């Protein structure tokens, strides 16, 4: 059996005896992004807090995943849920019509100001105390090289780090500048920073996902949807004759974009939940997000094309890594058993509450199963924390 497994809100699938062999070393917790779908991650981490469960030596998060990890390390149950349920649904954070008419961007600065103030009061000092002797990183994308980079969390520049990992191209006005470079959303180059955890010598890696399998990597779906074959063609040429294929790729993308928007509209009208391509990662995940740049009349320029290509390529490699990890590590994914009801942005309150509960259920199920495999208890919560 492979050295990987899955825990959902309804089932546990991993070889416990095999996993035990990997829990005596360095354990890492990795949290995927996904915008408002991150409320599933909030539920998982709240289950960890309620269970006094924290056997991890390092933490890696992208976008909403990094924000949720912050709340977990600050030992504030419910703060990740509140951030998504109350702040990201506020019109001050994002309003589609203001975005279209006046290009008023997603106001992540406002949301971070609010989370530091009453009644939330993110306790960064507690987070630093809990993190002492361990590592926590937020994944970002270097705008010059379009490569992944990892910024330490909970240091003096913690706000700018969270801004950088959440600075979604086309939704946030500009890259975030640091002395060592300028960065945008880590979802472009590292949707799930699991390889970085492995590179930093974590050998038992727990990954919290906000989606199931990507449709384009599922054999059945590819057979049913031949229109996405252009993605594979694009992967094959990315290293070599990219410039020669750019014109054709843009034309293919335009066609694919229109098809997906129309498909989303039709399926929404039939009141069915749509498991969309990319499941909420980066610019994708809801038909509303698909439309944003199009509504503004933004050009599909080579900069955006490059980001899309890097995103697809790196995500494809990450999927392979999750399904077939190196022999020296074990990966357990925590994810919902069905597509989440919420979307990346503009989710319904009822859907967010539903997905939070799904996360809680998955978190408790994971704690119960994984605790039996721990070689020894490490970094458990202390009373009163």
């Amino acid at each position: 059996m492979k050295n990987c497994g899955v825990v959902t809100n309804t089932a546990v699938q991993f070889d416990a005896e095999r996993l035990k062999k990997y829990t005596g070393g360095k354990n890492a917790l990795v949290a995927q992004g996904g915008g408002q779908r991150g409320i599933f991650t909030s539920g998982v981490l709240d289950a960890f807090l309620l269970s006094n469960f924290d056997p991890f030596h390092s933490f890696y998060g992208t976008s909403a995943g990094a924000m949720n990890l912050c709340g977990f390390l600050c030992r504030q149950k419910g703060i990740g849920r509140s951030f998504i349920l109350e702040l990201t649904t506020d019109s001050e954070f994002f309003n589609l019509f203001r975005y279209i008419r006046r290009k008023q961007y997603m106001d992540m600065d406002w949301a971070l100001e609010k989370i530091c103030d009453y009644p939330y009061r993110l306790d960064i000092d507690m987070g630093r105390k809990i993190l002492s002797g361990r590592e926590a990183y937020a994944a970002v994308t270097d705008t010059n090289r379009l490569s992944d980079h990892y910024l330490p969390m909970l240091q003096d520049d913690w706000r700018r780090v969270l801004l950088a990992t959440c600075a979604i191209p086309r939704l946030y006005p500009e890259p975030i500048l640091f002395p060592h470079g300028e960065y945008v959303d880590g979802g472009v180059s590292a949707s799930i920073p699991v390889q970085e955890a492995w590179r930093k010598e974590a050998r038992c890696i727990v990954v919290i996902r906000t989606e199931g399998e990507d449709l384009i990597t599922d054999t059945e779906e590819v057979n049913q949807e031949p229109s996405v074959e252009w993605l594979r063609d694009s992967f094959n040429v990315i290293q070599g004759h990219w410039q020669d294929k750019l014109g054709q790729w843009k034309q293919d993308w335009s066609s694919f974009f229109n098809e997906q928007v129309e498909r989303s509209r039709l399926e929404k009208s039939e009141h069915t939940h749509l498991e969309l391509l990319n499941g909420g990662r980066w610019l994708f995940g809801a038909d509303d997000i698909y439309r944003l740049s199009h509504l503004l009349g933004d050009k599909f320029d080579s900069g955006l094309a490059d980001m899309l290509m890097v995103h697809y390529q790196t995500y494809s490699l990450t999927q392979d890594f999750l399904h077939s990890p190196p022999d020296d590590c074990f990966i357990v994914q925590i994810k919902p058993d069905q597509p989440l009801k919420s979307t990346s942005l503009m989710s319904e309150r009822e859907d967010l509450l539903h997905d939070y509960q799904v996360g809680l259920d998955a978190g408790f199920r994971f704690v119960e199963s994984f605790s039996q495999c721990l070689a020894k208890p490490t970094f458990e919560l202390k009373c009163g924390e």
Side-chain angles (χ1 to χ4, degrees):
M1 186 175 180
K2 290 183 178 180
N3 48 330
C4 58
V6 174
V7 175
T8 72
N9 47 304
T10 60
V12 176
Q13 296 178 337
F14 62 78
D15 185 337
E17 290 303 315
R18 187 174 179 83
L19 174 58
K20 284 180 183 179
K21 300 175 183 178
Y22 296 85
T23 58
K26 188 175 181 180
N27 304 329
L29 180 61
V30 176
Q32 183 181 12
Q36 290 176 342
R37 290 186 174 186
I39 201 161
F40 170 82
T41 304
S42 304
V44 172
L45 294 178
D46 280 353
F48 287 7
L49 290 174
L50 288 167
S51 303
N52 289 341
F53 178 82
D54 182 4
F56 305 107
H57 304 84
S58 56
F59 305 84
Y60 301 85
T62 298
S63 195
M67 185 68 218
N68 274 311
L69 287 176
C70 252
F72 175 71
L73 290 168
C74 292
R75 296 303 190 242
Q76 289 175 277
K77 181 182 73 68
I79 198 167
R81 173 183 183 273
S82 295
F83 184 84
I84 293 174
L85 185 64
E86 298 168 19
L87 297 181
T88 70
T89 60
D90 194 296
S91 61
E92 281 294 322
F93 178 76
F94 183 79
N95 182 280
L96 179 62
F97 296 105
R98 287 204 299 265
Y99 178 80
I100 295 169
R101 293 170 183 169
R102 300 197 293 273
K103 208 163 187 176
Q104 184 170 325
Y105 292 94
M106 180 178 72
D107 199 343
M108 190 67 187
D109 305 75
W110 171 85
L112 288 177
E113 286 290 337
K114 295 291 286 186
I115 205 68
C116 293
D117 201 0
Y118 180 84
Y120 310 106
R121 294 189 184 278
L122 184 65
D123 193 347
I124 295 296
D125 290 335
M126 174 61 78
R128 289 169 179 163
K129 176 183 175 183
I130 295 297
L131 189 59
S132 178
R134 299 190 279 175
E135 304 170 325
Y137 297 96
V140 294
T141 300
D142 185 318
T143 57
N144 291 321
R145 295 177 296 174
L146 292 185
S147 59
D148 54 324
H149 192 82
Y150 299 88
L151 302 177
M153 293 201 295
L154 298 183
Q155 297 192 359
D156 290 342
D157 59 353
W158 68 269
R159 287 198 198 191
R160 292 189 66 76
V161 169
L162 288 179
L163 277 176
T165 192
C166 295
I168 302 173
R170 296 296 200 267
L171 289 183
Y172 195 81
E174 57 191 3
I176 306 301
L177 184 63
F178 287 81
H180 41 75
E182 59 177 35
Y183 306 100
V184 294
D185 178 25
V188 175
S189 58
S191 298
I192 311 168
V194 61
Q195 291 104 319
E196 178 67 7
W198 176 76
R199 286 191 290 265
K200 292 291 182 67
E201 300 183 342
R203 292 302 173 253
C204 177
I205 307 173
V206 178
V207 180
I208 306 176
R209 300 285 299 274
T210 52
E211 58 179 346
E213 299 307 317
D214 190 349
L215 294 182
I216 65 169
T217 62
D218 187 297
T219 305
E220 246 182 43
E221 291 292 340
V222 169
N223 290 338
Q224 293 172 10
E225 299 286 352
S227 61
V228 301
E229 276 301 314
W230 62 273
L231 290 172
R232 282 184 167 72
D233 293 338
S234 296
F235 287 145
N236 294 334
V237 302
I238 189 170
Q239 300 297 340
H241 43 285
W242 159 246
Q243 291 298 330
D244 294 340
K245 295 286 286 186
L246 179 59
Q248 181 61 43
W249 190 87
K250 287 184 184 180
Q251 184 178 349
D252 291 344
W253 165 260
S254 177
S255 211
F256 176 74
F257 175 92
N258 292 330
E259 179 185 327
Q260 289 298 316
V261 170
E262 180 61 18
R263 179 183 172 191
S264 300
R265 185 188 64 77
L266 291 174
E267 296 203 19
K268 223 174 192 182
S269 67
E270 295 169 2
H271 307 287
T272 58
H273 180 70
L274 180 61
E275 184 180 3
L276 285 168
L277 180 69
N278 290 318
R281 300 192 316 275
W282 189 38
L283 291 179
F284 305 100
D287 54 323
D288 297 319
I289 304 301
Y290 270 119
R291 292 187 175 105
L292 289 179
S293 288
H294 180 68
L295 287 170
L296 283 175
D298 283 353
K299 292 181 179 179
F300 188 72
D301 56 30
S302 60
L304 180 57
D306 287 346
M307 286 186 181
L308 286 165
M309 291 294 289
V310 167
H311 173 76
Y312 279 121
Q313 186 191 43
T314 57
Y315 188 76
S316 178
L317 294 173
T318 299
Q319 286 286 76
D320 292 342
F321 189 90
L322 289 169
H323 294 153
S324 300
D327 292 337
D328 64 349
C329 76
F330 197 105
I331 297 175
V332 182
Q333 298 182 64
I334 306 175
K335 57 184 178 181
D337 66 338
Q338 298 291 328
L340 296 174
K341 291 188 175 183
S342 54
T343 55
S344 300
L345 202 57
M346 298 178 288
S347 304
E348 296 293 333
R349 179 181 177 84
E350 294 76 14
D351 292 339
L352 290 170
L353 290 171
H354 171 274
D355 292 345
Y356 175 76
Q357 184 61 50
V358 171
L360 271 178
D361 294 342
F364 283 128
R365 188 175 294 276
F366 174 80
V367 170
E368 181 181 2
S369 304
F370 188 80
S371 295
Q372 300 171 10
C373 301
L374 289 176
K376 57 183 178 180
T378 54
F379 294 117
E380 290 189 355
L381 293 172
K382 299 176 183 177
C383 292
E385 289 184 352

